[in-house]
Amino acid sequence: MPALNETTAPGGVDATHDAALRCWVARADGHADFPIQNLPFGVFSPGAQAPLRGGVAIGDSILELGAALRAGLFTGEAERAASAAAGENLNAFLAMGAAPRQALRARLSAMLSAGSPDQRMAEGCLHRAADCTLHLPARVGDYTDFYVGIHHATNVGRVFRPDNPLLPNYKYVPIGYHGRASSLRVSGTDVRRPKGQLKAADADAPRFAPCEKLDYELELGIWIGPGNPLGQPVPVAEAAQQVAGYCLLNDWSARDIQAWEYQPLGPFLAKNFGSTISAWVVTPEALAPFRIAQPARPDGDPAPLPHLLDEADQRQGAFDIQLEVLISTPLMREKGLPPHRLSRSNTRHMYWTVAQMVAHHTSGGCNLNPGDLLGSGTISAPDAAGFGSLLETTRAGKEPVTLSSGETRSFLKDGDEIVLRARAVRDGAVSIGFGECRARILPAV
Amino acid sequence: MPALNETTAPGGVDATHDAALRCWVARADGHADFPIQNLPFGVFSPGAQAPLRGGVAIGDSILELGAALRAGLFTGEAERAASAAAGENLNAFLAMGAAPRQALRARLSAMLSAGSPDQRMAEGCLHRAADCTLHLPARVGDYTDFYVGIHHATNVGRVFRPDNPLLPNYKYVPIGYHGRASSLRVSGTDVRRPKGQLKAADADAPRFAPCEKLDYELELGIWIGPGNPLGQPVPVAEAAQQVAGYCLLNDWSARDIQAWEYQPLGPFLAKNFGSTISAWVVTPEALAPFRIAQPARPDGDPAPLPHLLDEADQRQGAFDIQLEVLISTPLMREKGLPPHRLSRSNTRHMYWTVAQMVAHHTSGGCNLNPGDLLGSGTISAPDAAGFGSLLETTRAGKEPVTLSSGETRSFLKDGDEIVLRARAVRDGAVSIGFGECRARILPAV
């Protein structure tokens, strides 16, 4: 077993990433999301009435950590970490930081590898994922949404300021705002179309009615680990240690409500009726092979201020993770048509790294807590085939998109289902997936 | 004992408000904040190492609810409520709603009244407040800050748009945004001056430095009670039932950080370095005698949209509560001078009622949870002597205020201490106070 518990740097690639590793769990090898090189953590229940518990996704199965603990399959630091991750939420596990998480990963990798002497014991700890319900992996104390997708910010800004779409602060400040934690829901939970105040440009007054411009937003979610005390900023060079994992985030947005309400204090009801996240916490360790250098800033862009600049972060603080958005309409499902791909993007289009987001967030002293969630903001690619929201793809509804079913969409209709997916594949490395971030639109009440 | 448990309307005035009620606890009668007519709930610890526990402020004492429960002083619904309020936070108590809270209030009123047969037993449950430490009364899931002080919104808007200070949405939308829950602290906790990006108007680029325009904001805090499920709005006529109590809130603001960061998504680091609240949850029942009609909208203002309009709320949904802001500087303390009053205002200057804030917040389906906190936004009076922030009082620092010590202030300096106070006094009714919301500024790290 590699001494991974001594490797706390997020960039370290080790034996747990070896593409040649084989797993004894059926259908794990070559699994699109959850091969043995991934090992994401989550919370599930194996039946409708069963208590919530922590587990690890492996192929089409879930390893129940509590069962494996009872079977005596962990010792030392890995046992301590597994105990923290075995309960109804992962907060205590996220709080532990990198070393115990890495020890647990190393032990799970060994336990699940083909030829492991633990196979028979561990087999008894597996559930068929299809029989399980997934839950939010942690209690989210605070949820912050950023705006680091520069092509998204440019596209949205262009609507208001065609000649100067990015505001002057954008390339200095990792723009963010506080979101609503209470309405975060796990993938698979329906989302109710909100009502709100809508005001037509030529109307004298707003009316209260169901949102007519309902949209999705393709985002990366970031789970906070240990956290920092109030008044003690996290230096950018230490910020990666604050990140316990990643997920997908659909920041549903009511564009018409937003347009009327957002001045001067930002989006509120346009966003807080619900946000959907994928269930699995994909660890920094699983994503280590997919680290890339922060893409060079275009000529003329200012350098980050010193408190946001770290050489190691610039060298390996970004990610190469493919993102996609799929839509399935009621007509598609009726006709048995596959979902239509709306967008293909990549996390490399984030203007700021996650470490810069964390350093900025805490730079004035704000405290982060284990289980806090950060959103990246919408991650759009530079080209229209990779825009991360319908607002951009349809140019605020003016150029509806035609779907494979022949239907068109300016914005989302009731019954539409949006699925976000993420996959990391590089240089022959095994594919690491995030699982789905899926939700369907219910009609307004 | 009056059958208060049947009176769930927030406006009901009953025997517990009788100005003639006398209390056997020393110094309770005529107490400026906590006479027997108030009975606010909070969380305290009677010594540095003692566990947190729920209590009720009475005069200069705190009645420990757990001790009173063990002494057998409660039965029935009051006992159930006291049990929920006796632990390390009040969340379960806030969740119960009005009827159990009113039953507990009625029982406490009887127990603490002069001549009560329970006096000897209850005396053993009292602590000297001066020997106790107060704590946050609840775990705050989400914190939302509104902007319903219309004179504040007008004053701030005038800086940017002299001829048209209020944005067109202001009189339709109870403007609000999500704040940071993790950095809320109870009165008495020092606040560290934040560093942040500051950009002078004539500078090419921002610099990262300690905030130079640190300000306070005078706000009313609103504790949420039972809450609502996601997707199920709270009608305005039922919104008052969602309110479990009130406190004072100082929404510290870094004006220079805010000016540079806030477009397009609103304030972030300018606010999330800390917010201070008073410790006691003053109940809707204690404030019932101080209900007033919502002040008439000026001629020409639109009526609220139907989903924000309730006749009973218009008739008694506002409050007449006096507010004040005091400052004590290091020089004042050195010279033994009393604090200087910076401002006198009143909750009647809220353009929207609390019920309208709750109805608006949930109108798109957003769920509120027990222990969520709403802020009113800065409550300024129409005249300069009642402005609720230095931004307004000093016209963004251009007209420094002269203090009783002879010092001047454009914004706050290190060592300055701000105290917010609230007091409700009407028509010979006994004075109901909130206790202090006090905090001192520490220098930046």
Side-chain angles (χ1 to χ4, degrees), chain A residues 172 180 182 197 260 367 372, chain B residues 172 180 182 197 367 372:
Chain A
Y172 291 98
R180 182 79 193 176
S182 73
Q197 292 192 24
W260 174 236
N367 56 328
D372 283 353
Chain B
Y172 292 98
R180 181 79 192 176
S182 73
Q197 293 193 23
N367 56 328
D372 284 354

Side-chain angles (χ1 to χ4, degrees), chain B residues 228-311:
Chain B
N228 62 301
L230 184 61
Q232 294 186 24
V234 177
V236 63
E238 296 167 25
Q241 299 297 325
Q242 291 293 339
V243 177
Y246 299 88
C247 64
L248 283 163
L249 168 64
N250 184 342
D251 183 36
W252 302 97
S253 297
R255 302 298 180 192
D256 38 10
I257 297 173
Q258 186 173 352
W260 173 235
E261 77 169 0
Y262 91 108
Q263 286 290 10
L265 298 179
F268 182 50
L269 301 191
K271 303 276 193 173
N272 70 11
F273 59 92
S275 310
T276 306
I277 61 173
S278 57
W280 294 103
V281 179
V282 178
T283 63
E285 290 72 34
L287 294 173
F290 311 100
R291 290 276 180 182
I292 55 173
Q294 177 67 349
R297 294 186 159 211
D299 281 348
D301 280 15
L305 293 187
H307 72 292
L308 298 177
L309 189 56
D310 174 64
E311 195 272 326

Side-chain angles (χ1 to χ4, degrees), chain A residues 227-245:
Chain A
N228 62 302
L230 184 61
Q232 295 186 24
V234 176
V236 62
E238 296 167 24
Q241 299 298 325
Q242 291 292 339
V243 177

